């Protein structure tokens, strides 16, 4: 593939799946990925921002991910 700053490829050394993950209900559908190399941050590759406060009702929230999606209202 041609080099593109929007793409990132890395060797996955290990996956750490949540111990309570349930593939039937998708509860605790989260894991950490340990890569075999480091990378440089740029306009497209940035660290994830971790949640550090409780949100008020109606406060905007951004979620990123992939896979199955369900809406809870």
């Amino acid at each position: 593939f041609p080099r593109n700053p929007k793409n990132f490829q890395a060797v996955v050394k290990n996956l750490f799946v949540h111990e309570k993950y349930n593939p039937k209900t998708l509860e605790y559908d989260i894991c950490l990925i340990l890569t075999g190399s480091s990378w440089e941050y740029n306009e497209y590759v940035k660290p994830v921002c971790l949640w550090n406060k409780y949100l008020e009702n109606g406060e905007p929230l951004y979620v990123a991910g992939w896979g199955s999606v369900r809406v809870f209202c």
Side-chain angles (χ1 to χ4, degrees):
F1 292 102
R3 186 128 175 95
N4 181 334
K6 293 182 182 180
N7 297 334
F8 172 73
Q9 293 181 354
V11 173
V12 175
K13 287 181 73 174
N14 205 346
L15 291 175
F16 300 92
V17 178
H18 195 286
E19 63 185 24
K20 292 184 177 180
Y21 173 60
N22 183 329
K24 291 181 182 176
T25 65
L26 298 180
E27 291 175 289
Y28 300 97
D29 183 15
I30 187 169
C31 79
L32 297 176
I33 302 170
L34 177 63
T35 62
S37 59
S38 59
W39 57 88
E40 292 184 26
Y41 296 134
N42 62 35
E43 182 182 354
Y44 305 101
V45 178
K46 298 179 183 181
V48 64
C49 297
L50 299 177
W51 181 34
N52 62 3
K53 68 173 190 151
Y54 286 98
L55 299 176
E56 297 295 327
N57 234 357
E59 193 170 347
L61 171 69
Y62 298 94
V63 178
W66 58 88
S68 219
V69 176
R70 290 186 293 179
V71 177
F72 298 92
C73 297

